[in-house]
Amino acid sequence: MGNRVLLIVSGGIAAVKCPDLIRRLAARGIATRCIVTRGGAEFVTPLSLAALSGDKVYTDLFSLTDEAAMGHIELSRSADLVLVAPATADILAKMTHGIAGDLATTALLATDKPVMVAPAMNVRMWEHAATQSNIRALKARGIHVIGPAEGDMACGETGMGRMSEPADIADTVENYFQNSGRLLGRRALVTSGPTFEPIDPVRYIANRSSGKQGHAIAEALARFGATTTLVSGPTRQPDPAGVHVIHVETAAAMLAACESALPADIAVCAAAVSDWRAADIAPGKLKKNDAAATTLTLVENPDILATLAGAGNRRPGLVIGFAAETDNVLSYGSAKRDAKGCDWIVANDVSAATGTFGGDDNTVHLISADGTDSWPKMSKMAVAERLAMRIADHLGAPERTLQ
Ligand code: C5P
């Protein structure tokens, strides 16, 4: 039997794209059953959703006829995946707080299946602290957020908040069905974020790494089924769902945590580890007139990637590093691969104009012994997904399970 999606259509103008979304899912062999909220039904008729999905459309929690056809608990579990598209600010807030006042929100609270949401709302509503905090909470719970995209909105404003295109949503759903479980039985180790190297009890050396790319990679590997440990420096990213996260501050602590996570089949070093640390950490806060404060003596930090790549019989089978460069990205990336002894380098351009540092998008080149593969600009989440696919392709079926 093919894969089935329970599509929850909430009340936004993007609901008019749901017929197209259903068609595109069907073209990928994915069947859809719909729940439409009262607001959703103002934008797209249940009749058109029923005609395209070839199934009854459910609208009302307290309908005797609906409950007779299928109880709301059964309905919430009748598919392999629940997709909320469009997901309004309202339904996201209700999901965050477990409010279940209608059929759609009751199904979302009752389901035991993975949930994806495709937000769609005005840019200010999207950027509002309440929505952003809800999104963080939902992500931390393992809900996969698709988009939103940037562009013109029905309200006349422009910005972030358009629902992702139906083709992109359908691709994400299809990828999920194709990839979940491909890394079952594998163990993955990912580093992410910056390190903080103390100078005295209140000051430290750090960098601008946001941790977005590393966290997205850990999340993707876990979604593919790998038992994943994320060793993260201080970031504002929520802990990805289904991932064992070890929080550290210094490079030395990051290395120790990585070594404690071995053995692993896969290591992805995406952290921006400080190259140096203070030779001596002042026990008390340095004073402005303290002669020692004007000269900082630095010593080199351990190279975590090189250490893992050279770990002898404890070396992970596939070791992947990042090369963040501002120029000569390919040649420096390839030199880094040799210097560090890793298998693949993901080289990316972080010059200021690209907005990669802290931004949501990345343009990367995957450098391996087989050559260089340049990927188009895409979201950091899409880079993570594609990298996880390449890792799964490379490793093939699990031969053994590490203890
Ligand atoms: O800083 P650099 O350009 O050498 O970083 C390249 C790669 O090496 C990245 O994957 C980074 O995570 C890793 N690295 C590391 N430990 C360091 C420095 C870099 O793991 N001390």
Side-chain angles (χ1 to χ4, degrees):
M1 194 165 52
N3 293 116
R4 293 160 311 164
V5 166
L6 177 65
L7 174 64
I8 296 183
V9 181
S10 68
I13 180 69
V16 300
K17 296 184 181 170
C18 284
D20 185 25
L21 174 59
I22 295 170
R23 256 194 304 261
R24 288 176 189 273
L25 288 170
R28 291 162 173 77
I30 301 164
T32 306
R33 171 175 285 153
C34 298
I35 293 179
V36 59
T37 66
R38 189 166 298 178
E42 297 285 338
F43 294 99
V44 59
T45 67
L47 195 59
S48 50
L49 296 175
L52 284 161
S53 64
D55 202 339
K56 179 176 164 51
V57 171
Y58 294 78
T59 53
D60 192 354
L61 180 59
F62 302 108
S63 153
L64 281 177
T65 46
D66 280 8
E67 278 291 306
M70 187 179 298
H72 60 276
I73 304 291
E74 193 188 343
L75 178 61
S76 76
R77 298 174 188 175
S78 63
D80 306 296
L81 175 83
V82 180
L83 168 66
V84 189
T88 59
D90 177 72
I91 202 163
L92 292 170
K94 286 176 175 152
M95 288 170 72
T96 306
H97 296 286
I99 294 170
D102 64 3
L103 180 60
T105 49
T106 304
L108 283 161
L109 200 56
T111 190
D112 59 356
K113 297 296 188 307
V115 177
M116 292 188 180
V117 296
M121 66 197 74
N122 165 275
V123 54
R124 284 180 192 262
M125 294 170 75
W126 171 251
E127 286 172 356
H128 196 285
T131 305
Q132 288 303 308
S133 133
N134 293 339
I135 287 287
R136 274 195 298 279
L138 293 171
K139 279 186 178 171
R141 249 179 248 160
I143 289 176
H144 186 76
V145 181
I146 308 170
E150 203 169 349
D152 294 337
M153 312 202 150
C155 55
E157 291 186 41
T158 302
M160 197 64 114
R162 279 170 63 89
M163 187 172 84
S164 293
E165 290 307 320
D168 295 333
I169 299 174
D171 280 348
T172 307
V173 171
E174 185 182 30
N175 283 343
Y176 170 80
F177 285 131
Q178 284 177 352
N179 296 324
S180 65
R182 287 189 69 198
L183 288 173
L184 268 180
R186 303 289 190 183
R187 285 176 60 139
L189 165 64
V190 180
T191 69
S192 182
T195 61
F196 282 9
E197 308 296 338
I199 297 169
D200 66 17
V202 297
R203 302 185 180 92
Y204 55 82
I205 303 169
N207 60 68
R208 294 184 192 281
S209 168
S210 65
K212 281 182 183 171
Q213 186 63 81
H215 279 58
I217 290 168
E219 188 182 322
L221 292 172
R223 213 172 36 245
F224 275 49
T227 303
T228 306
T229 299
L230 170 65
V231 182
S232 174
T235 75
R236 299 179 63 192
Q237 306 303 314
D239 288 355
V243 171
H244 172 54
V245 186
I246 306 176
H247 295 277
V248 296
E249 293 215 335
T250 63
M254 188 173 272
L255 176 60
C258 287
E259 284 177 331
S260 77
L262 295 178
D265 301 287
I266 307 149
V268 184
C269 292
V273 182
S274 172
D275 288 323
W276 309 279
R277 67 179 184 277
D280 298 300
I281 303 167
K285 184 181 171 191
L286 292 170
K287 294 290 174 217
K288 210 183 259 184
N289 54 5
D290 190 334
T294 52
T295 310
L296 196 57
T297 308
L298 300 174
V299 289
E300 210 169 312
N301 262 332
D303 191 308
I304 298 165
L305 174 62
T307 308
L308 292 174
N313 59 4
R314 283 169 69 77
R315 183 192 197 275
L318 183 61
V319 180
I320 304 170
F322 270 71
E325 305 290 352
T326 51
D327 35 33
N328 298 324
V329 177
L330 290 182
S331 53
Y332 284 154
S334 152
K336 195 151 287 180
R337 182 177 163 271
D338 295 336
K340 307 261 185 177
C342 60
D343 303 296
W344 298 353
I345 279 280
V346 182
N348 55 347
D349 186 345
V350 293
S351 52
T354 63
T356 300
F357 253 136
D360 288 322
D361 291 332
N362 209 348
T363 310
V364 310
H365 313 269
L366 184 64
I367 303 172
S368 70
D370 301 332
T372 298
D373 193 4
S374 296
W375 297 353
K377 181 174 177 169
M378 58 181 91
S379 71
K380 288 180 178 174
M381 248 157 60
V383 167
E385 182 95 7
R386 196 153 166 176
L387 186 63
M389 270 188 225
R390 294 294 293 266
I391 292 171
D393 290 346
H394 178 81
L395 294 179
E399 287 160 16
R400 70 207 154 99
T401 304
L402 293 167
Q403 296 307 309

